[in-house]
Amino acid sequence: MTFLRYKVISVLNNNTIQVSGSDIEGIFILISKVIGFNRKKGTYIEALPKDQQIYKLWTDEETNFNLSYDSALLFQIISDFIVTLETMYKKDLSSFEEVLKDHLSFALDRKSAGIDIDSPLKHELSVIYPTEHSLAAECIRQINNSFGNILSESETGLLTIHIRAAVMDTDISREMEQAKLMDQIYEVVHKEYPNVPLSGFLLRINEYIQIIRSKSNIDLSVKAEKAQNPLAMRLETLIRETIHINSAQLSFLSDEVERLSTMNKIYEEVL
């Protein structure tokens, strides 16, 4: 469903508004992140916000979900959570509190409207970022206890990435990019070695890449004459499609894949 222009009928919250379309009769619900922020009744939206990937329109007849929740209770849970983070990491995270309010409010709006999204890192997230994942899971548990088990494991994954970016002072888009890359690496390696536990491998690869990205001149190369096996070469291609680093910095992949190959032979003998 596409309109050239929307008229704002009412603002339900920062992420949800009622609109009418320019070329079709009826009132519709539009959900998109911060679409309602500073919106005024009677103003116009010329097009859907192109920088937002999540939006949906419903007619009145389709709108049978409940977008109302106790925002004061949600914000109190978030404020308490920020105190926990600040105590643990010994740093001021007050600016992250506003980010978290926006993120989790939108998460509740999406789930209330039946919109779900996958975590950018589906596999082994608790191994790669154990502390952040544990904190995120506890925050989601408190929200679900208060609002009726509305948020899923996918939201725990997304919150983990947000916490990681806040406590490491990195950009959320960079952390999301890293998470998606690690998920792709898992898929490739798991297909090759389905019987081998990959937690340790993923943890080491993630740490290698984080170090390389933070210190571009670091030398992690091995002997130049050492040939890479096909899987290591595939992983190198995958990583370099996402991150601009040179082949020498990725030569550690051969050793890691060789270790996996040895483990796979052991597991095959046992099984």
Side-chain angles (χ1 to χ4, degrees):
M1 184 181 298
T2 303
F3 300 124
L4 295 177
R5 201 171 190 227
Y6 305 90
K7 182 177 181 179
V8 178
I9 304 300
S10 65
V11 177
L12 303 182
N13 57 45
N14 278 347
N15 305 311
T16 314
I17 59 177
Q18 284 184 312
V19 298
S20 60
S22 60
D23 58 354
I24 191 170
E25 294 183 358
I27 296 176
F28 300 85
I29 301 294
L30 172 60
I31 288 185
S32 190
K33 194 167 186 179
V34 299
I35 189 69
F37 183 70
N38 282 339
R39 292 283 178 196
K40 304 297 182 183
K41 179 179 178 180
T43 58
Y44 288 87
I45 303 173
E46 297 301 327
L48 286 171
K50 295 181 180 180
D51 60 334
Q52 298 294 345
Q53 296 179 347
I54 302 168
Y55 61 85
K56 192 167 183 178
L57 287 166
W58 292 266
T59 62
D60 282 344
E61 291 77 14
E62 296 170 321
T63 309
N64 56 7
F65 50 84
N66 180 18
L67 286 172
S68 63
Y69 54 84
D70 188 346
S71 59
L73 175 58
L74 175 64
F75 291 169
Q76 184 59 55
I77 292 172
I78 292 171
S79 294
D80 293 343
F81 183 61
I82 291 296
V83 171
T84 299
L85 292 179
E86 290 181 330
T87 302
M88 177 173 291
Y89 290 98
K90 295 180 172 55
K91 64 187 304 182
D92 179 16
L93 294 171
S94 55
S95 61
F96 181 50
E97 182 170 352
E98 295 307 312
V99 173
L100 210 52
K101 287 178 179 179
D102 178 61
H103 171 72
L104 291 173
S105 295
F106 189 45
L108 287 175
D109 290 339
R110 282 192 287 100
K111 291 295 293 185
S112 296
I115 303 174
D116 200 3
I117 56 177
D118 291 332
S119 167
L121 186 58
K122 304 181 184 69
H123 310 290
E124 309 291 354
L125 185 58
S126 61
V127 172
I128 296 174
Y129 302 129
T131 302
E132 294 88 343
H133 185 271
S134 178
L135 289 165
E138 175 59 22
C139 182
I140 296 299
R141 185 191 67 79
Q142 292 183 27
I143 292 172
N144 282 338
N145 285 346
S146 299
F147 297 100
N149 294 319
I150 190 172
L151 298 182
S152 66
E153 177 62 25
S154 294
E155 301 297 343
T156 302
L158 290 172
L159 181 54
T160 298
I161 303 303
H162 275 276
I163 295 171
R164 172 76 181 180
V167 300
M168 297 299 292
D169 292 320
T170 55
D171 186 73
I172 182 64
S173 61
R174 169 172 164 166
E175 293 297 336
M176 203 70 74
E177 179 183 71
Q178 179 88 4
K180 291 177 181 178
L181 173 61
M182 292 306 300
D183 194 54
Q184 291 173 320
I185 290 173
Y186 173 89
E187 294 287 353
V188 170
V189 178
H190 180 68
K191 186 176 181 180
E192 189 79 16
Y193 299 123
N195 297 320
V196 178
L198 298 178
S199 298
F201 170 81
L202 290 175
L203 181 60
R204 290 189 298 275
I205 295 298
N206 187 63
E207 289 178 345
Y208 276 131
I209 295 175
Q210 292 280 14
I211 292 172
I212 292 170
R213 297 187 78 172
S214 62
K215 300 178 181 179
S216 58
N217 61 344
I218 193 168
D219 182 11
L220 292 174
S221 61
V222 295
K223 294 180 180 179
E225 66 270 13
K226 186 171 183 178
Q228 287 190 331
N229 61 48
L231 178 57
M233 294 177 69
R234 286 170 58 198
L235 293 178
E236 177 184 321
T237 299
L238 180 62
I239 294 171
R240 294 187 68 191
E241 285 176 351
T242 303
I243 304 170
H244 298 295
I245 53 181
N246 60 55
S247 295
Q249 291 175 312
L250 292 174
S251 55
F252 66 87
L253 288 171
S254 288
D255 287 336
E256 290 295 339
V257 172
E258 187 174 314
R259 182 183 301 180
L260 283 179
S261 178
T262 301
M263 290 178 61
N264 185 61
K265 290 176 182 178
I266 295 173
Y267 274 87
E268 285 181 343
E269 291 175 1
V270 173
L271 296 176

